[in-house]
Each structure stands twice: as C-alpha cells, then as structure tokens.
Amino acid sequence: MAATSPDRPAAASGHPPADLTGESDTYDVVVIGGGPPGEIVAQYAIQGSDRTAAIVEHELLGGECSYWACMPSKALLRPVELLDAARHMPGVQSLVADRTIDVPAVLDRRDGFTSHHEDRWQVKWANDTGIAVVRGHARLAGEKRVAVTTADGRTRTITARHAVVLATGTTAAVPDLPGLRAARPWISRDVTNVHEIPRRVAVIGGGVVACEAATWLRGLGVAELTIVVRGGALLERNEPFAGELVARTFRDAGVRVLLTTGVDRVERVDPADTGEGRIHGGEVSLHLTTPEGAETITVDELVVAAGRTPATSDIGLDTVGLNVSGDHGFVVTDDRLAVRGVPGDWLYAVGDVTGRALLTHMGKYQGRIAGAVIAARAQGRELSGDRFTDVADDGRVPQVTFTDPQVASVGRTEAQARADGIAVETVEYDLAGVAGVSLLRDGYVGRAKLVLDASTDTLVGATFVGPEVAELVHAATVAVVGGVTLDRLWHVVPSYPTMSEIWLKLLEARDQQRRTAR
C-alpha cells in the first residue's frame, strides 16, 4: 500500500516536460512544498498542456498528511473502531469479549499506508503527471525566483515563467512552558508513528489531534491515560454536546479528562532523542493547577497537541516585501489564492500556510482552484465561473473527528451563526431514535443538530455525533454549499433503514417545533 492517495487526479493528458530530473533552471510553475495541496496545484496548473511544473520538497513527497498525520492516524483508529463495534453487537461480542488489539499487526498495516516513510511511489505519480521533483529547502529569491539548497549545502536558483506557489504547511507547536521543550515530548509525528506503547501517557490539548491520539492510544493498550485541557471543554470549536459526548466516552473507558487545568512545569528524567514514536527518556512529571488545586502526575510519555505554527519563518518572504508577523505567520491570500501584497498575480499560497482552514481536504480544494487560476492566466483566459473562486472556506468547511464517538460537522455552529448576525433557528434529534441507527449497534449514543438561517430557510451548519456518522457530513455539505431550502430537503428521500433517515427526523422535529411555537 503506497502513501499515494487513491483520489489523486489521473496523470495529465498533455505532453510531460522532457526533463523530470529536477535539474532544469526554469519551469512554468514552481511549488514550494510537496504535501497534497502542493501536489494538486501543480497537477491542475499543467494538466492537458505542455506547461512544466516542479515541486520543491525538503522531506518526503506527500507531506505531513501521507506520513505523519491523516493516513497513519486513521490506520491506527480503524481497528479500534471495529473492535468497539463488535463489543456492542450481540452474536459477535462474545467472540471478542476477552480479546485485545493485535498491536504489531495494526502498526504493520499503518506502516504500509506510509510506505515505511519511503516516497518513490509519490515521486512516480508526480513524474507520470509531468511534474519534476526537486529535493532541497526552498526560499523565495525575488519575483518568480526560488533558491533551493540541497542536503550537501549547494544552492541553485529556479525561475518560474508563470507562478510560484507556497504550500509549506504548518508544524506542531510546543508551548514555551517551563521544562516542556527540554522534556522532549512527543508531538503529532511521534504519536502517529508510535513504535512503543507506553503504560502511562499524558496528552496536553483538547482539540482534534489530542482527542484522536487519546482514542487510539487507549485502544492500543495505554493503561493510564490523562488528557490535560486548558479550556473548559474538549473540541471547543464544535457544538458543546460534541465535546461532552466524547469526554463521557473517555471517562467511561477510564481516561482522566482534566478540564480548566494549567501546566505549571514539566520535568523529565534523562530526556533522550530516541527517534519518532519511541519513548524519549525516563519518567515525566507534570505539575498542574486544576480547579481542585495543585496536582502532580507522573507518566512514561507526554504528548503535546497544542496547535500548529505556519511554516513561513525561512521561506524568503522578505525578498518579495512580505511581512506576515501581523497575521500570526500565515500568508494571506485573496479568493483566487493569490498572495495579498504581492503585485503581478504570480505568487500564490494553498493549504495550511494560508490559515484559511487547516485541513487536508480544504488544502486540496484550494490547490484545485489555484491550479485552475494559474492555468487560465497562463493561457490568457478570463476567470469566469465559480471554479476560479474559493468560497468554501467561508462558513462551509466540513470536518470529521475520528474519536469515539465520531464528530462530523460542516458550516457554522449555533454560536458562530449568532455571532455572524444570522437569524438563527436550530433543531436537534437523538440519533438513537432512528431505525437504521438502532441496527448498527446496541446501546447507540449520538446526537444531530442543524443550524438554520430562518430568514432564508436554509441550512448554515450541521453537527452529527455518534459512531459511524462520518459519511453523513457530505450530504450536509451539499445542502450548506448549495443553499438548499428545507422545503426542497423534504423531497430528498432517505433510504430505509439507514442512518440517513436522521434528515427526515430533523425535518419533522423542526415542523413540530414550529407548530408548538404558534
């Protein structure tokens, strides 16, 4: 199983460049950063043409998602989900009652999805698509110029005829707390590439990465797990009931969830650089301030999942007059993905580095738009039509958090909609009350909520929480992006008996609310 995503576009039908070695000094498009957004923008900028493109990557082509984030994390989570589902299904639960995860098999499958951190299949995809891969660290060196420094210290300059694209992504943030960095904690790269399962683990953070990591760590056999959250809830950017249901499941599984808790200092015995996913030294002590007072916990490993930092500190932004310090380090773009403050429409940015929506699928979406814009401008075509404008980042972003239970959402929460001045109406329903859901497992716990704009009778947000809700979110995304009215949704008939009947239940509940309010 190669790390190449199966949903990447097919290779371009035009003529590939004669030189795919990356030794050329000039390309039509030069992309800095080889994650999925960078790959996609290069693909879309040259497909069906004789234009040339190069991706400059200093690590592995395929980027964070393929090797250290989306793919390995979901490979770790899926076996945990399946075992939990079996434990809730009569006729099967007796077969797994005393069984645990086969950790070596899970890790081996995970390593298959990351191609054991070898990117030749990614490079083959790029070359088959007509994209050259240049190895090295890239920095802007003026208009349409990129300086590339290789591992042996040599530097050469590449020129772009039409466009340079920044797709450098983000890196894990480790807060500057006393002793924390010196303790060599695990970051997301370590916990997705775990090779040793510690007996005791603490996770600092309450967002998506923290909650997903805690889910697979508990499933893989961590005996004592503590989640330390500075805020008052898990998954605070979601509807409140989402974090509450996830926290309840953690606590039922014996996980300590410490909310409104600060980390005062961290101490570690003999910290060591033992490699990704291996225990980085001796015991770790966390000195905490909880709502009940001071407390110290001792663990074998510490995971820090406290946000991301844009990778913009050493990419030569100053050479084109850009200063991003006022934007928290993110590169601000217009809705064509051209970088603001740089004249000439030659510099673009896609993916996490823009700060628009730090999600792989949104970065790929931006890559499709930016690539289409670059191609059209290179051909002198007008940018007419929706294909050339990024509209989905503005209150239409879908996301799935693969915790137990899953959290799937799109658009605005109720609080966000009210803050935006929308005439808010909401409707909620217990997912366990849907016939198709009741068949999935015994003891199903879940909830669904729609956020409506009462002035237009359209959906502006949706949240589904429960086992196996991930696939519900795309229908909600279609409704949100398409501005589908609720009257029209009555004619979208859900198959019986499936989880999709939740849509009918929500529509009926909304009608009941309106009748009651009269």
Side-chain angles (χ1 to χ4, degrees), residues 414-430:
E414 178 182 351
Q416 291 164 349
R418 292 191 187 282
D420 288 343
I422 293 171
V424 171
E425 185 179 349
T426 66
V427 60
E428 299 186 39
Y429 198 84
D430 183 352

Side-chain angles (χ1 to χ4, degrees), residues 30-45:
V30 179
V31 180
I32 301 177
E39 292 175 315
I40 295 298
V41 72
Q43 158 75 28
Y44 274 69

Side-chain angles (χ1 to χ4, degrees), residues 237-256:
R237 295 184 180 181
N238 291 92
E239 294 286 359
F241 69 85
E244 291 166 4
L245 288 175
V246 172
R248 182 193 305 174
T249 302
F250 276 136
R251 289 176 173 133
D252 289 346
V255 177
R256 291 189 72 198

Side-chain angles (χ1 to χ4, degrees), residues 23 96 98 118 174 184 189 247 390-391 402 447 466 476 490:
E23 296 298 324
V96 298
D98 299 321
E118 201 277 326
V174 179
R184 293 186 177 273
R189 286 192 168 199
D390 179 341
V391 298
F402 291 86
R447 193 152 193 83
W490 276 103

